[in-house]
Amino acid sequence: MDTTFWLLFLRLGVVALLYLFLIQLAFVLRHSLAAGDRSTRQAGEAARLVVVESGAPSLVRGQAFVVQAMTSIGRAPANVVKIDDPFVSGEHALLSVRDGEFWLQDLGSTNGTFVNRRQIGQPTRLTPGDVVQVGQAKLKLVR
């Protein structure tokens, strides 16, 4: 047999293997993204931050905010939870959902962020029932 035939055969084999690899990669990525989206949705959609104590004219006791994958809290208008309180920084805190768990992080605010009356200095895991205090506002994490 001619070497040209074998070279063509090897080239086609390499191309076929490359396509199989790309198809497998796409399948794994799709599956992984769907699983991550499901865990975030299960944790986030079922959870809300409910205002326990207002402390700001923009909040009403009992008002609820749906927890998203990244829920920003602060005085700036771009925040998911906007709190008009002089004791709240523009970008005060961030509540995130990771692997089905809730994590709260202070973003270097002037007056601090508190969980169950304790000031936090690093990302802190939250569970339903925990009360987050930002400025004079208190928000309870509920499912």
Side-chain angles (χ1 to χ4, degrees):
M1 291 216 161
D2 192 347
T3 56
T4 309
F5 171 78
W6 287 111
L7 285 175
L8 177 64
F9 182 75
L10 287 174
R11 287 179 182 165
L12 289 175
V14 168
V15 169
L17 287 174
L18 180 61
Y19 274 107
L20 286 173
F21 171 76
L22 291 174
I23 290 169
Q24 182 67 24
L25 180 65
F27 177 75
V28 168
L29 285 174
R30 189 178 119 211
H31 179 68
S32 176
L33 289 172
D37 186 45
R38 256 194 318 275
S39 70
T40 299
R41 241 185 297 131
Q42 288 171 348
E45 285 182 2
R48 298 180 320 275
L49 283 174
V50 178
V51 178
V52 178
E53 288 183 28
S54 168
S58 62
L59 297 178
V60 178
R61 190 171 192 269
Q63 181 178 359
F65 298 92
V66 175
V67 173
Q68 302 172 4
M70 297 290 229
T71 304
S72 57
I73 304 169
R75 198 172 64 231
N79 288 295
V80 175
V81 181
K82 185 179 178 315
I83 304 173
D84 290 325
D85 179 342
F87 297 104
V88 175
S89 297
E91 295 172 350
H92 197 100
L94 182 67
L95 174 61
S96 58
V97 182
R98 290 180 273 168
D99 298 324
E101 296 180 335
F102 303 99
W103 291 88
L104 182 67
Q105 178 179 359
D106 182 84
L107 299 177
S109 66
T110 304
N111 295 306
T113 302
F114 297 80
V115 175
N116 299 327
R117 298 184 185 163
R118 291 197 174 128
Q119 188 168 6
I120 62 170
Q122 59 189 18
T124 302
R125 185 170 174 251
L126 298 180
T127 57
D130 285 343
V131 176
V132 175
Q133 183 174 350
V134 177
Q136 296 176 346
K138 292 183 181 178
L139 310 161
K140 185 175 187 178
L141 180 66
V142 297
R143 285 216 180 254

